[in-house]
Amino acid sequence: MDRVETMRAISQDVLGGPEVLREVRVERPAPRPNEVLVRVRATGLNPTDFKHRARGGFLGEPPFVLGWDVSGTVEAVGVGAALFAPGDEVFGMLPYPFGHGAHAEYVTAPARAFVRKPAGLDHVRAGALPLVSLTAWQALTEQADVRPGQRVLIHAAAGGVGHVAVQIAKARGAYVIGTASAGKHEFLRGIGVDEPLDYRETDFAQAVREVDVVLDTLGGDVSVRSLRVLRPGGTVVSLVPAGPDDFRQEAERLGVRAVRMLVDADHSGMRAIAQLAEEGRLRPTIARTFPLADAAEAHAAGETGRTTGKLVLVVD
Ligand SMILES: NC(=O)c1ccc[n+]([C@@H]2O[C@H](COP(=O)([O-])OP(=O)(O)OC[C@H]3O[C@@H](n4cnc5c(N)ncnc54)[C@H](OP(=O)(O)O)[C@@H]3O)[C@@H](O)[C@H]2O)c1
């Protein structure tokens, strides 16, 4: 009988706080046709990990292994997966939401979830980028088509999504207004924000006008209030899937666009992100790294909601 190969993974049997996470040994997956098996070197943490750990979300009841961000090395390729060969260094996002499982030593996924990792980008930085960058890329280029000279407002500009969205908007030639608490304004200027706004002191809806695109990472009344800072024809892209019913109605009344979106695995988006990273125009800030075994501590740090940049799990 063949010996079953196992691997370490961070799993949970019940929903709850970070303490429900535990390291387990599970069977190592094998790549199916058109899939690759990737040895994970680094994997980013995202608020969607904390939400699924606590409430199940799209995944329902555990057990499950969370995580969507991957940077690693191709270990094996499935039948027909001709894009890569064993040994290739790749990064990408597992299909969201049902392709989860990156918080482990190995994952399988469709080969096209991945692109080659630029040589100058280390695994920690590459593992931080995929989910937040694809989100920002899809919001700012597909939904909003940001163009040179346009005014873009990014809420929570120092966060995981926000700090890459700023850099993508700048790479497209936009003027960027970004919100964060005052202590983070130097950081915002450093990543290219033209106009930092302290959301604790200033109401953006009073202070900002004539905006072409708003990236709404916050939801609640921020979604509807963001519509009011737009120029006619402008767009608010909200990343919060459920929210007030009046978002679309108010947009229609004002002659602007209201979009809600979920990030989607996207090979061409990942290629664009790899190129921006290679050109030095997209650089993630790493707030802190944790060994895979300390995933619970990493979740606890992340769900404070105060992270500047990204938290990353490193898989030795
Ligand atoms: N729809 C999708 O597909 C999708 C994809 C990715 C993310 N998301 C969602 O987008 C949200 C942001 O994700 P993330 O990864 O960027 O989170 P994050 O990294 O945890 O965000 C942390 C940042 O949020 C800032 N912040 C908190 N409250 C704020 C406020 N009221 N105004 C301005 N900034 C504020 C904090 O700055 P201060 O310390 O200065 O407050 C901190 O730097 C999450 O809800 C996430 O689930 C959705």
Side-chain angles (χ1 to χ4, degrees):
M1 211 174 81
D2 286 345
R3 202 173 111 252
V4 174
E5 300 256 27
T6 63
M7 65 172 188
R8 292 183 297 133
I10 302 300
S11 186
Q12 61 187 99
D13 292 325
V14 291
L15 301 176
E19 70 283 354
V20 303
L21 297 173
R22 57 197 187 84
E23 193 180 289
V24 294
R25 285 208 85 87
V26 293
E27 194 174 328
R28 192 169 111 175
R32 296 174 299 181
N34 272 334
E35 287 187 340
V36 290
L37 173 70
V38 175
R39 162 87 167 88
V40 181
R41 305 279 168 181
T43 167
L45 276 177
N46 292 285
T48 190
D49 293 308
F50 319 142
K51 293 173 190 174
H52 280 92
R53 184 208 70 226
R55 297 193 289 279
F58 298 122
L59 307 184
E61 287 299 315
F64 44 63
V65 177
L66 294 171
W68 284 268
D69 278 331
V70 176
S71 181
T73 311
V74 173
E75 182 83 10
V77 299
V79 172
L83 273 184
F84 302 113
D88 286 347
E89 307 230 301
V90 296
F91 73 132
M93 186 189 77
L94 305 182
Y96 187 86
F98 299 114
H100 59 95
H103 296 169
E105 283 181 301
Y106 294 88
V107 284
T108 51
R112 274 173 204 281
F114 300 103
V115 295
R116 279 174 203 277
K117 181 180 77 60
L121 188 69
D122 60 34
H123 279 299
V124 168
R125 286 196 163 74
L129 278 176
L131 187 145
V132 290
S133 307
L134 278 178
T135 302
W137 178 261
Q138 289 166 4
L140 297 177
T141 72
E142 290 179 4
Q143 297 301 335
D145 189 22
V146 168
R147 274 164 288 135
Q150 287 194 323
R151 286 164 59 80
V152 176
L153 168 62
I154 296 173
H155 290 292
V161 174
H163 90 297
V164 296
V166 166
Q167 296 173 63
I168 290 171
K170 289 308 295 179
R172 291 177 74 88
Y175 178 89
V176 176
I177 305 155
T179 67
S181 52
K184 297 186 176 179
H185 285 195
E186 206 178 307
F187 170 75
L188 292 193
R189 286 206 177 83
I191 57 171
V193 170
D194 297 288
E195 201 177 316
L197 206 69
D198 180 1
Y199 69 90
R200 292 182 176 158
E201 294 293 327
T202 309
D203 177 6
F204 75 92
Q206 300 294 325
V208 182
R209 282 283 165 275
E210 300 285 303
V211 170
D212 297 284
V213 177
V214 180
L215 183 62
D216 166 29
T217 52
L218 297 170
D221 73 336
V222 169
S223 309
V224 172
R225 295 174 69 246
S226 292
L227 296 168
R228 302 186 185 135
V229 308
L230 291 176
R231 285 188 172 134
T235 304
V236 172
V237 184
S238 177
L239 303 180
V240 182
D245 293 338
D246 53 348
F247 185 43
R248 288 225 168 79
Q249 292 151 12
E250 181 71 355
E252 255 174 56
R253 195 182 70 74
L254 293 169
V256 296
R257 286 178 67 229
V259 178
R260 287 190 199 285
M261 63 156 272
L262 276 183
V263 66
D264 200 7
D266 169 4
H267 190 67
S268 64
M270 276 309 301
R271 287 171 72 113
I273 288 156
Q275 189 175 345
L276 284 173
E278 195 152 23
E279 292 166 357
R281 295 199 287 169
L282 180 59
R283 276 185 63 83
T285 291
I286 308 301
R288 199 171 156 195
T289 62
F290 298 82
L292 180 68
D294 294 348
E297 196 189 331
H299 273 235
E303 66 188 358
T304 62
R306 299 272 84 85
T307 305
T308 300
K310 293 291 300 174
L311 300 176
V312 178
L313 298 176
V314 177
V315 189
D316 290 324

